């Protein structure tokens, strides 16, 4: 309680001065305890929401937790650098807590993302894969029958058999691949042009148009429509956080969390903000998010990058493409904040 508040309390209470001072002090302790309880309740909610996202998707597990731990160490590094230079701390305690809460809640919108999109490990669905393999079996059997009936030579039979075997293996490989090469695209086009005649005399393609289109997705496992569904999670984050009446200490949580996919060159989403519209806090969350996604060992659609590879990608995005803050990327690399020393990130430090 401030001194002027104590004086007002003394004047209004009508109690003897020593009793009034004691009452004011006890009121102050109760108020502080109540404030601490409210803060712990809020941060418990933050922990529940972050845990809900982690538990819902095996492949998204611990993403926010890793980001929060890495982020806290990075903010401490930035503070230490400023202190060593005799400058004000860029992330004093309240500011730091606000940004860390934003990190914990940045993916809360994924609670609305369909799991078949969020956890999609391959380009082809299980139904599409089954259809293709059944079709290849029919082609293989038809090829043998054509040979036995004298319609094709042994050389022709062997050629088709080799093509079918290659198709079965290569299609599975491409479906799971993180990136489709030009050579693979050319091979897929050749397979798409092949046909066979079924038992009813209908001429059918080796690959149906929807299967071919999915296999030709260059990067990742999602179609354009599925990617839109996935990207919608940031709008869901904004919508969900809009339901929370944040105190002044956390006034920026919603806007920072909902902008973590924005990029400095305007190519991000959902609002296509540019550098002038993206504050340092959001730039930091974006760097943390991209870095963890690159090195994460639990993503079904791509192998994890090494730290060196991930840092090189961040540098390219900053210096060559203008998508990330080059100075923050440089400081991030220098901080080695991904080295946690075996310490698991928790929300406890936010309560202190």
């Amino acid at each position: 309680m401030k001194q002027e508040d104590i004086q007002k309390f003394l004047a209004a209470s009508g109690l003897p001065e020593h009793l009034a001072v004691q009452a004011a002090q006890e009121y102050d302790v109760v108020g502080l305890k109540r404030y601490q309880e409210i803060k712990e309740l809020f941060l418990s909610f933050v922990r529940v929401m972050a845990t809900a996202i982690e538990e819902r998707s095996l492949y998204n597990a611990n993403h926010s937790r890793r980001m929060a731990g890495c982020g806290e160490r990075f903010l401490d590094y930035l503070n230490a650098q400023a202190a060593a230079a005799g400058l004000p701390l860029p992330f004093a305690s309240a500011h730091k807590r606000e940004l860390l809460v934003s990190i914990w809640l940045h993916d809360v919108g994924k609670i609305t993302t369909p799991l078949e999109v969020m956890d999609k490990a391959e380009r082809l669905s299980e139904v599409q894969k089954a259809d293709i393999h059944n079709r290849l079996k029919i082609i293989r059997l038809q090829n043998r029958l054509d040979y036995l009936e004298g319609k094709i030579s042994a050389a022709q039979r062997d050629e088709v058999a080799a093509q079918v075997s290659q198709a079965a293996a290569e299609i599975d490989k491409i479906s799971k691949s993180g990136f489709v090469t030009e050579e693979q695209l050319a091979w897929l086009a050749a397979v798409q042009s092949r046909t066979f005649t079924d038992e009813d005399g209908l001429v059918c393609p080796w690959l149906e148009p929807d299967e071919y289109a999915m296999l030709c997705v260059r990067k990742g496992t999602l179609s354009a429509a599925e990617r839109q569904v996935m990207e919608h999670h940031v709008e869901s984050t904004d919508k969900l956080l809009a339901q929370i009446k944040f105190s002044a200490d956390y006034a920026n949580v919603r806007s920072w969390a909902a902008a973590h996919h924005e990029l400095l060159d305007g190519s991000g989403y959902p609002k296509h903000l540019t550098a002038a519209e993206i504050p340092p806090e959001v730039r930091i969350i974006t760097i943390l998010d991209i870095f963890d996604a690159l090195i994460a060992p639990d993503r079904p659609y791509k192998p994890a990058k090494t730290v060196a590879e991930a840092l090189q990608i961040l540098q390219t995005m900053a210096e060559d493409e203008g998508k990330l803050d080059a100075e923050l990327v440089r400081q991030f690399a220098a901080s080695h904040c991904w080295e946690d020393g075996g310490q698991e990130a928790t929300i406890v430090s936010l309560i202190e």
Side-chain angles (χ1 to χ4, degrees):
M1 183 177 288
K2 296 179 180 178
Q3 186 63 36
E4 57 266 31
D5 293 331
I6 294 177
Q7 294 300 327
K8 290 178 182 178
F9 183 86
L10 291 174
S13 67
L15 295 171
E17 183 173 345
H18 71 284
L19 293 177
V21 169
Q22 181 180 351
Q25 290 173 340
E26 290 178 356
Y27 175 81
D28 205 22
V29 170
V30 171
L32 180 61
K33 182 180 179 181
R34 179 60 176 160
Y35 169 76
Q36 193 76 357
E37 289 174 348
I38 292 173
K39 186 164 68 170
E40 290 181 10
L41 177 62
F42 169 68
L43 294 174
S44 295
F45 165 76
V46 173
R47 182 170 59 248
V48 167
M49 294 307 296
T51 302
I53 297 300
E54 293 173 359
E55 291 295 324
R56 183 167 182 260
S57 170
L58 173 65
Y59 301 120
N60 201 58
N62 298 318
H63 171 60
S64 295
R65 189 179 304 275
R66 289 192 302 260
M67 276 182 63
C70 190
E72 183 165 14
R73 290 184 290 274
F74 184 42
L75 299 184
D76 288 342
Y77 172 84
L78 294 176
N79 281 340
Q81 292 295 106
L87 300 172
L89 300 185
F91 293 97
S93 57
H95 191 187
K96 177 182 173 182
R97 282 197 301 271
E98 186 177 26
L99 181 49
L100 290 176
V101 167
S102 302
I103 293 171
W104 278 101
L105 292 176
H106 81 286
D107 267 349
V108 69
K110 285 184 177 177
I111 200 96
T112 68
T113 304
L115 285 178
E116 61 267 24
V117 173
M118 187 157 61
D119 288 354
K120 192 178 180 190
E122 299 185 33
R123 288 171 175 78
L124 296 173
S125 68
E126 291 300 319
V127 171
Q128 287 174 319
K129 286 195 300 180
D131 286 346
I132 290 173
H133 283 287
N134 286 335
R135 197 177 305 129
L136 292 177
K137 287 180 182 178
I138 292 172
I139 295 170
R140 187 180 287 112
L141 291 172
Q142 186 65 54
N143 181 52
R144 292 174 183 170
L145 183 61
D146 287 345
Y147 170 71
L148 292 174
E149 292 179 349
K151 295 178 181 179
I152 59 175
S153 66
Q156 290 172 317
R157 177 203 60 191
D158 293 344
E159 180 182 3
V160 172
Q163 289 175 343
V164 171
S165 295
Q166 182 190 22
E170 192 68 17
I171 286 170
D172 279 346
K173 178 182 176 182
I174 292 174
S175 183
K176 300 173 183 177
S177 177
F179 183 80
V180 179
T181 66
E182 291 291 342
E183 292 77 11
Q184 287 172 322
L185 287 175
W187 180 83
L188 284 169
V191 174
Q192 169 69 2
S193 68
R194 294 175 189 157
T195 60
F196 70 100
T197 303
D198 68 11
E199 59 183 5
D200 296 323
L202 295 176
V203 177
C204 307
W206 280 33
L207 289 174
E208 293 293 338
D210 62 322
E211 300 161 352
Y212 176 67
M214 281 309 308
L215 288 168
C216 287
V217 171
R218 293 296 298 268
K219 186 178 180 181
T221 61
L222 303 180
S223 66
E226 290 168 333
R227 189 166 296 281
Q228 283 187 333
V229 171
M230 189 65 200
E231 291 180 355
H232 184 70
H233 81 274
V234 290
E235 296 174 66
S236 294
T237 290
D238 184 63
K239 185 176 181 180
L240 290 171
L241 296 184
Q243 307 306 309
I244 301 175
K245 188 178 176 68
F246 288 102
S247 67
D249 288 345
Y250 299 102
N252 294 298
V253 166
R254 174 188 171 189
S255 62
W256 291 349
H260 69 277
H261 279 293
E262 301 288 357
L263 299 170
L264 303 187
D265 65 350
S267 65
Y269 61 89
K271 297 181 179 179
H272 304 289
L273 302 180
T274 58
E277 302 169 290
I278 302 176
E281 294 83 1
V282 172
R283 300 179 186 205
I284 289 172
I285 298 175
T286 302
I287 291 170
L288 292 168
D289 187 57
I290 294 172
F291 180 78
D292 186 73
L294 288 170
I295 68 168
D298 48 18
R299 301 298 171 103
Y301 44 83
K302 66 174 184 61
K305 300 287 186 184
T306 66
V307 167
E309 289 171 333
L311 292 176
Q312 181 58 56
I313 290 171
L314 291 179
Q315 184 179 344
T316 298
M317 292 180 69
E319 297 180 1
D320 298 342
E321 300 172 4
K323 296 181 183 296
L324 302 177
D325 188 306
E327 177 57 21
L328 281 174
V329 168
R330 184 194 67 78
Q331 292 179 309
F332 179 82
S335 73
H336 285 251
C337 59
W338 54 86
E339 298 174 356
D340 61 8
Q343 297 294 318
E344 184 182 68
T346 68
I347 287 185
V348 173
S349 61
L350 299 180
I351 301 175
E352 298 174 351

